[in-house]
Amino acid sequence: MNLEIFPPTEQELEEMIYNLTRKLEDERYRDEWEEIAEALEEKEQQLKEITIKNNTI
C-alpha cells in the first residue's frame, strides 16, 4: 500500500485519470504505455477507495 502524506482528492484523481487515459491514446507515448497503464490502474483503484470511503462517512 502506498501511503501518501497528502493523498490526492477525488477531483485530482479524476484529472490524473483523464490525463493518463489521453496519454494511452497518444502514439507519442507508445514506449511508455505499459507504465502509463499501470499508473492508470493505480489511480483508478485509489479513486474507487476514496469514493467508497467518502460514501460511508
Side-chain angles (χ1 to χ4, degrees):
M1 178 185 243
N2 183 11
L3 295 177
E4 300 169 280
I5 295 174
F6 298 106
T9 65
E10 277 185 84
Q11 182 178 358
E12 291 169 332
L13 283 168
E14 289 170 353
E15 186 175 321
M16 289 178 206
I17 290 168
Y18 173 79
N19 290 329
L20 289 167
T21 302
R22 299 254 342 243
K23 283 185 175 184
L24 280 177
E25 296 169 349
D26 191 330
E27 287 287 326
R28 294 177 293 176
Y29 294 97
R30 171 180 272 169
D31 294 340
E32 302 172 44
W33 279 350
E34 187 174 326
E35 294 148 11
I36 294 169
E38 289 174 10
L40 177 59
E41 195 173 301
E42 179 183 321
K43 297 305 176 192
E44 288 173 333
Q45 183 61 35
Q46 279 183 299
L47 180 59
K48 181 180 175 182
E49 289 170 5
I50 198 170
T51 301
I52 291 169
K53 181 180 176 183
N54 288 342
N55 286 336
T56 58
I57 293 179

